[in-house]
Amino acid sequence: MEELKKFIRNIPDFPKPGIQFKDITTLFQNRWGLQRCFDILEEQYRYQQIDKIAGIEARGFIMGAALADRLNCGFVLIRKKGKLPGKTISESYELEYGTDELEIHVDAINPGEKVLIVDDLLATGGTLKAAADLIKKVGGEIIGLSCIIELLGLNGREKLGQLPFHSLVTYDEA
Ligand code: AMP
């Protein structure tokens, strides 16, 4: 899986000084990289019962929708505040400076449905934790959380507690 790293571009000091931004546009724009990425994810989850995949705006949409199609399950959008048109519930989470909010449609998940949550990258874990709390609030059962990239230096997994987390590539840095 580490072979995927050669397609992931590091952009220093984006969006602000000190951040090493992991750019997956270069992974997705490569035919082999894109296919390899979804082959690994499909293999990881194909034997688990999954009713819905929930993707977090915006890169989680790309991952989640493509994987949902491969695994033959539904796709649910978790969006930044104010974007979803129907009745929503929201969950706020900590950013480096201040807070942000994620929302989901209240009727996106049927009670007891098994849900896999996906995003591009795990850093502090705040985003995935907020998404997991939303899924629980609307009655879903979380069977896993998945990211392409995990930044080990920020201990994001700890914030996720017992929820099963899977990543394709890891970086030691924060
Ligand atoms: P966190 O909530 O701290 O786990 O941050 C995860 C979210 O922020 C993901 O949706 C990522 O897209 C984005 N993010 C955080 N750090 C980076 C980074 N170094 N490179 C790319 N995206 C990042």
Side-chain angles (χ1 to χ4, degrees):
M1 298 193 226
E2 290 288 299
E3 77 265 20
L4 292 178
K5 272 190 181 173
K6 64 175 179 284
F7 299 109
I8 297 168
R9 176 166 60 181
N10 188 75
I11 313 256
D13 301 318
F14 182 87
K16 50 187 153 195
I19 306 279
Q20 300 292 325
F21 192 88
K22 301 290 178 258
D23 180 18
I24 55 161
T25 63
T26 38
L27 172 68
F28 284 165
Q29 74 199 20
N30 181 279
R31 183 170 43 183
W32 186 90
L34 182 74
Q35 195 175 62
R36 183 81 185 110
C37 178
F38 286 106
D39 283 350
I40 297 167
L41 289 167
E42 184 180 352
E43 188 62 28
Q44 171 72 19
Y45 292 107
R46 77 174 324 145
Y47 300 111
Q48 282 185 262
Q49 193 205 318
I50 301 172
D51 300 304
K52 301 249 170 78
I53 292 182
I56 303 172
E57 186 173 0
R59 281 158 287 178
F61 290 175
I62 306 165
M63 267 180 79
L67 187 60
D69 187 51
R70 283 199 181 205
L71 296 176
N72 196 26
C73 52
F75 177 70
V76 167
L77 288 76
I78 295 179
R79 296 206 68 177
K80 307 275 166 61
K81 189 180 170 62
K83 302 278 184 74
L84 288 170
K87 186 163 186 268
T88 58
I89 56 163
S90 65
E91 188 71 37
S92 60
Y93 61 105
E94 302 273 320
L95 295 172
E96 205 175 340
Y97 303 111
T99 61
D100 210 342
E101 263 177 78
L102 289 177
E103 292 185 339
I104 191 170
H105 278 142
V106 289
D107 59 359
I109 308 282
N110 298 313
E113 277 189 320
K114 296 187 190 311
V115 181
L116 172 67
I117 304 172
V118 300
D119 201 5
D120 62 328
L121 181 144
L122 178 79
T124 66
T127 307
L128 267 190
K129 173 74 169 63
D133 289 343
L134 279 179
I135 296 298
K136 286 182 203 155
K137 278 187 186 170
V138 293
E141 182 194 332
I142 299 160
I143 64 98
L145 304 162
S146 184
C147 287
I148 296 174
I149 302 167
E150 177 178 10
L151 302 184
L152 298 171
L154 293 165
N155 296 321
R157 273 184 194 243
E158 274 176 29
K159 202 169 273 165
L160 305 177
Q162 298 300 312
L163 294 170
F165 175 77
H166 175 260
S167 61
L168 272 53
V169 299
T170 61
Y171 293 86
D172 290 333
E173 67 211 52

